[in-house]
Amino acid sequence: QKEVEQDPGPLSVPEGAIVSLNCTYSNSAFQYFMWYRQYSRKGPELLMYTYSSGNKEDGRFTAQVDKSSKYISLFIRDSQPSDSATYLCARGGGNKLTFGTGTQLKVEL
Amino acid sequence: DGGITQSPKYLFRKEGQNVTLSCEQNLNHDAMYWYRQDPGQGLRLIYYSQIVNDFQKGDIAEGYSVSREKKESFPLTVTSAQKNPTAFYLCASNRDSGANVLTFGAGSRLTVL
């Protein structure tokens, strides 16, 4: 079993839709969770990070961690074509980050 | 502006050749990392360095080597022993040592002909 599991997609939604991206993880010892956004042929950029359980909101983005079910979610409200990218979840702790495989999102006009 | 610079952006090499990818950061971060990205496999850790003159193997270190002689620099050599070197290579540094929040460079695409 991979430490972080993520549906690779692709996921296609119309502009303005609410997008839900999800990951599961297997090791409950780690406390930090991140979401990175990666445009094609670019390096990933940090979107949000959360500590332990709960929600964190930043503009149109909300990150949610449910430690009881080992579930990480990213919600994007009022999605825009510029949100089209690959979204990588990761869990942190110790000396490294462990990433999911990434979900490719396309927001269509 | 502070950031991570990777070069070259694109690199072609023949089988049997070693190649070195450059990574320089001016963020004053202590820790630096090399990841490899392949389609459908996400990012996999090759090597990381928490401090100058020290580095550790990651999950897929075989066929790679690194050095950390300066805080700002963490070059990666892809040796001829790496069986499948064609990939997108990403260098990163650690912004927050407790949470492992990484800042990434723009990547280097290596193609073996």
Side-chain angles (χ1 to χ4, degrees), chain B residues 29-33 50 92-98 100-103:
Chain B
H29 288 173
D30 286 319
M32 297 185 73
Y33 304 77
Q50 299 281 88
S93 66
N94 196 335
R95 186 179 86 178
D96 181 331
S97 61
N100 302 118
V101 177
L102 301 181
T103 301

Side-chain angles (χ1 to χ4, degrees), chain A residues 2 54 66 88 103:
Chain A
K2 289 185 179 179
D66 183 345
L88 300 154
T103 299

Side-chain angles (χ1 to χ4, degrees), chain B residues 8-9 18-19 21 25 36-37 40 42 45 50 86 95 104:
Chain B
K9 190 171 179 66
N18 291 357
V19 62
L21 307 180
Q25 56 104 353
R36 168 181 171 143
Q37 188 173 31
L45 182 64
Q50 299 281 88
T86 294
R95 186 179 86 178
F104 283 89

Side-chain angles (χ1 to χ4, degrees), chain B residues 8-9 19 25 27 32 39 42 45 48-50 52 54 57 61 64-65 73-74 81-82 86-87 93 97 105 111:
Chain B
K9 190 171 179 66
V19 62
Q25 56 104 353
L27 299 166
M32 297 185 73
L45 182 64
Y48 64 100
S49 169
Q50 299 281 88
V52 174
D54 188 43
K57 293 181 179 180
Y64 300 98
S65 66
S73 179
F74 191 41
Q82 168 51 232
T86 294
S93 66
S97 61
T111 302

Side-chain angles (χ1 to χ4, degrees), chain A residues 12-19 60 76-84 105-109:
Chain A
S12 183
V13 301
E15 183 180 10
I18 296 174
V19 177
R60 296 184 295 111
I76 307 173
R77 291 182 297 280
D78 187 25
S79 55
Q80 304 295 310
S82 59
D83 295 327
S84 298
L105 171 67
K106 184 171 184 181
V107 181
E108 311 215 37
L109 290 168

Side-chain angles (χ1 to χ4, degrees), chain A residues 2 8 32 34 36 38 41-46 49 86 88 92-102, chain B residues 9-10 33 35 37 40-43 45 48 50 59 88 90 95-102 104-106:
Chain A
K2 289 185 179 179
Y32 295 94
M34 294 89 174
Y36 283 81
Q38 185 178 25
R41 288 187 283 275
K42 303 288 186 185
E45 55 180 332
L46 179 68
Y49 77 95
T86 296
L88 300 154
N95 293 323
K96 62 178 185 177
L97 282 184
T98 299
F99 287 86
T101 54
Chain B
K9 190 171 179 66
Y10 299 97
Y33 304 77
Y35 283 87
Q37 188 173 31
Q41 296 201 51
L43 275 67
L45 182 64
Y48 64 100
Q50 299 281 88
D59 301 318
F88 189 49
L90 289 158
R95 186 179 86 178
D96 181 331
S97 61
N100 302 118
V101 177
L102 301 181
F104 283 89

